[in-house]
Structure formats: structure tokens, C-alpha cells
Amino acid sequence: MISDRVRSLSPYKTETTPARIKLSSNELSLELPEFVKKRLAEEVSRIPFHRYPDPEARLLKEAIAQRFGLREENLLLGNGSDELIYYLSMAVGEFSRGIFYPVPTFSMYGISAQALGRERVEVRLKEDLSIDLQESLRAIREKRPALAYFAYPNNPTGNCFEEDKIKSIAEEVPFTVVDEAYYHYSGKSFVERALSRQDTVVLRTLSKIGMAGLRVGFMVGNEEVVRELNKLRLPFNITFPSQVMARLMLTEFYWLIEEHVKEVVRERERVYRELRRMEGIKVYPSEANFILFKSLLLPAEQLHIRLVEEGVLIRDFSHMVPQCLRVSIGKPWENDAFLEALEKVLKTLDK
Ligand SMILES: *Cc1c(COP(=O)(O)O)cnc(C)c1O
């Protein structure tokens, strides 16, 4: 007896097509030097994994707090920020009231709402990918959602919405979540606002800075909000290896992550410039570690397939944004391979 709520869901989609170069999931291309791997292996080999891990993941929480200049009381850790999105959708407001988010955006806001039987109050972004404030406020006044999600920067579009528009909408809904999964690439944050009020929280994750496989996300919020949401948290939601490895990366080896993040920001600007001068491509500016672009000469699905044939996997988003694809920024050689493959495919069209 599976409910209609669940039957009507579509599973979270991700690209699993095998390819030589994978630029489809906004991961950080992080190649660990041997000595780092050895150090991680050492620590992991000491884990008494017949025991439950620390349910509060205290040492990891301490490392996150120190690394990002936060206090432990303001942190709630999740098995990826995906888990925290579920908790927020469960905890905020009654289920009879909906959840607002501009679209296209990250699919988990809608999936969590639908799974709980909550109305999805979706408002399309404008042609330039900015928030349609008038239409958003109209929808909110009509439907009275209890919660608003903003991905900041937004995925898959790559832009940060205007701060003033987010604040205007936040004034009209009881609770606001600012999902800063790509904070390290934008440098823009609502953390101060979240810490000073009870109606706003920020989500962050280690996934986009080289630790996607560890599944560690965190919420930053007022102590009171953290305490309440913590009651929903599944016990032991951060595995023992994840607690140990993430802590080590944030303390001893964070310099390595910082270097890679800087390189990605540099590469993002280079890839953007290269895409801009390609005929048949319209590219959108990005403050994240990926770029959205439109294919003007070839249907996006076909371009996607042609790139896979060239050994490069990116993400086709044409189901969400007409004719658009999203490419993650990788190491310089990976980005070169993408640009060359794209150029090659486009060239065959001229004739
Ligand atoms: C990738 C992504 C997440 C998911 O992060 P996890 O911590 O890996 O669950 C959340 N929000 C946005 C906008 C993302 O792009």
C-alpha cells in the first residue's frame, strides 16, 4: 500500500553513463597525493567499526565550526545537505501549507515536499534567470506556503539571486532556507542573517569541495532552531569513516582543498570566456563550480550524446531549461578536453 504521494514521485536523477571525463555532478576534481592517502588510511584503520559512531559527531562538528568560523551550537550535521532538506521540509509549518521555491532549481526541494504531501509553490525564473519578484509575491499571497528554499548560487543556473529579492520574499513567508552548497565558489552568504534570527537557516555541504563521497552537509542556524531540528535527526547519521575522514581533511589537509577551489574559480572564468566565443553556444555567467549554456545549433540531447561519444560526460538540463546543458568545472586538462570535444562537435555542423 504505497501512497499516491510516493507513487507519483520520480527518483532523484543523476548521470551514471560511464565516460573518460566526468563533468556532470559538480564534484571537485581532487587528486590526493600519496602521503595524504596514507594518512587517511592510517586514521581509517583505527576505526572500531563494530561500534556505533559518536551520535553527535562532536569532533567533526568542532572541526567544521573552527574551519568556517562558526559555533557548534549553531550547527546541525546531515548525511549530505539532502538529509537536512528532508528535515526542514518535515519540521517547518504544518503539512497543509506548501513549500515555495523558484524554478528551475535543485530537485530535492520539490521531491521532499511531494513525499510529504505538501503543495509545491513553484515560480519560474525570468528569461535572464533572475527571480520574478512580482509573480513570487503574488503566488505566496495566494497560496500561503510556510517555507521558502533558495539555492544561492542556484543549481543548475549558476547565478546568485539578488539579495534584496530573497529578503523581500523572506518577509512574506514564515521560514526561509538559503542553500549555499556552492558558497566556496561565490563567497556570498546569508550566515549572519541566519545566526541573528529564528526564521532563516543556511545549508552548506562538503560535497562540492572534494568530499561528495563522505556525505556530510550542515545547517547553520540559531541555537533554538538547531535544537528543535536535532530532534528529527536520525541517530548516527554521519558514519564513522565520514566523521574521521572529513575531520582530517578539514584540519590537516584543508590547504589542498583551498588550492583546488581557487583553481576551479580561475578555470571557471577561462571556460566561460572560451564558451562565449564559440558560435552556436549561449553561455550564462556563474558564481558556482559549473556553467550553464544553451546549444543554439543542435538539440541539447544530441549535443549531450555527441559529447559522450567524445568521452566527455556533462549534464543535459533541457528538461528544465530549454536547450540547456550544465558542465562542471574540473582540472584544466579535463576542461580542455570538454572544450575541444565541444568545438569538434560544433565544427561538424558547419558543413
Ligand atoms: C549538490 C547540491 C546539494 C546536495 O548536497 P549534498 O550535501 O551532497 O547532499 C544541495 N543543494 C544544492 C543546491 C546542490 O547543488
Side-chain angles (χ1 to χ4, degrees):
M1 272 318 287
I2 305 293
S3 69
D4 289 339
R5 270 191 339 268
V6 173
R7 282 192 190 280
S8 61
L9 279 176
S10 324
Y12 181 86
K13 267 223 271 316
T14 183
E15 265 294 357
T16 49
T17 315
R20 189 165 53 87
I21 293 168
K22 184 173 184 289
L23 297 173
S24 57
S25 295
N26 301 342
E27 296 141 333
L28 178 62
S29 274
L30 186 62
E31 287 151 38
L32 298 179
E34 275 313 309
F35 74 95
V36 177
K37 287 188 191 166
K38 251 182 90 179
R39 194 63 192 90
L40 284 161
E42 246 168 49
E43 289 282 319
V44 168
S45 73
R46 286 206 203 99
I47 295 173
F49 60 73
H50 58 298
R51 303 288 184 203
Y52 281 107
D54 174 7
E56 305 290 332
R58 246 160 303 189
L59 292 176
L60 174 57
K61 199 183 282 182
E62 182 186 59
I64 290 174
Q66 288 208 345
R67 176 51 63 198
F68 301 117
L70 300 162
R71 294 189 318 146
E72 287 156 59
E73 310 86 271
N74 298 117
L75 293 177
L76 182 73
L77 305 197
N79 194 288
S81 42
D82 289 338
E83 184 183 30
L84 300 169
I85 291 170
Y86 258 107
Y87 294 160
L88 285 158
S89 293
M90 282 163 78
V92 178
E94 300 306 323
F95 289 3
S96 55
R97 290 182 65 181
I99 297 181
F100 167 90
Y101 46 91
V103 287
T105 192
F106 189 54
S107 60
M108 286 307 297
Y109 313 143
I111 293 176
S112 66
Q114 211 183 337
L116 298 166
R118 302 186 71 156
E119 182 179 15
R120 287 166 291 163
V121 183
E122 300 180 343
V123 173
R124 292 292 304 177
L125 295 175
K126 296 200 285 193
E127 194 63 31
D128 64 357
L129 306 180
S130 68
I131 288 179
D132 187 336
L133 186 60
Q134 223 179 357
E135 185 51 27
S136 297
L137 294 177
R138 197 202 55 72
I140 287 166
R141 284 171 192 149
E142 183 192 323
K143 309 233 160 124
R144 313 294 312 156
L147 170 60
Y149 280 105
F150 299 96
Y152 185 81
N154 189 39
N155 178 10
T157 57
N159 57 319
C160 281
F161 301 133
E162 292 132 289
E163 204 181 312
D164 287 344
K165 286 189 182 173
I166 294 180
K167 287 180 179 166
S168 306
I169 293 172
E171 294 302 321
E172 299 289 324
V173 287
F175 199 92
T176 300
V177 179
V178 184
D179 180 350
E180 298 178 357
Y182 302 96
Y183 163 73
H184 292 91
Y185 303 95
S186 74
K188 295 184 184 169
S189 182
F190 277 74
V191 156
E192 280 190 30
R193 184 177 167 97
L195 291 175
S196 66
R197 5 189 340 148
Q198 305 240 356
D199 66 354
T200 302
V201 295
V202 161
L203 291 179
R204 295 268 185 92
T205 179
L206 303 186
S207 296
K208 311 293 159 56
I209 54 169
M211 290 173 262
L214 298 183
R215 311 303 305 130
V216 177
F218 57 99
M219 185 190 89
V220 186
N222 184 281
E223 284 106 284
E224 178 72 22
V225 181
V226 167
R227 253 200 312 276
E228 291 307 320
L229 276 151
N230 190 43
K231 298 175 186 171
L232 273 180
R233 190 174 57 80
L234 294 177
F236 319 111
N237 61 334
I238 315 293
T239 68
F240 225 141
S242 291
Q243 293 190 26
V244 166
M245 293 167 83
R247 189 170 85 93
L248 200 61
M249 290 307 297
L250 290 174
T251 51
E252 284 181 38
F253 302 123
Y254 196 69
W255 55 272
L256 198 64
I257 288 170
E258 278 180 307
E259 271 177 16
H260 281 77
V261 167
K262 270 194 210 135
E263 181 179 70
V264 167
V265 172
R266 276 199 305 274
E267 282 289 291
R268 175 183 73 201
E269 299 316 312
R270 179 177 76 89
V271 173
Y272 177 78
R273 282 196 306 273
E274 292 290 322
L275 288 173
R276 256 189 86 131
R277 52 164 206 82
M278 277 187 205
E279 234 172 284
I281 299 294
K282 175 179 159 66
V283 60
Y284 296 93
S286 167
E287 297 191 73
N289 66 344
F290 58 84
I291 292 179
L292 186 78
F293 64 94
K294 190 177 262 178
S295 171
L296 303 173
L297 302 175
L298 185 68
E301 306 93 90
Q302 279 181 39
L303 178 54
H304 182 250
I305 293 169
R306 297 285 295 274
L307 289 173
V308 170
E309 286 166 3
E310 297 296 323
V312 180
L313 182 69
I314 65 171
R315 248 328 252 282
D316 175 11
F317 269 98
S318 53
H319 58 290
M320 279 196 199
V321 203
Q323 292 309 333
C324 280
L325 302 107
R326 187 192 72 189
V327 61
S328 311
I329 304 298
K331 303 291 290 174
W333 68 270
E334 294 172 307
N335 304 328
D336 282 339
F338 158 70
L339 290 167
E340 279 161 29
L342 180 60
E343 207 133 33
K344 184 174 164 192
V345 172
L346 292 174
K347 219 171 254 159
T348 61
L349 300 176
D350 293 345
K351 289 158 201 159

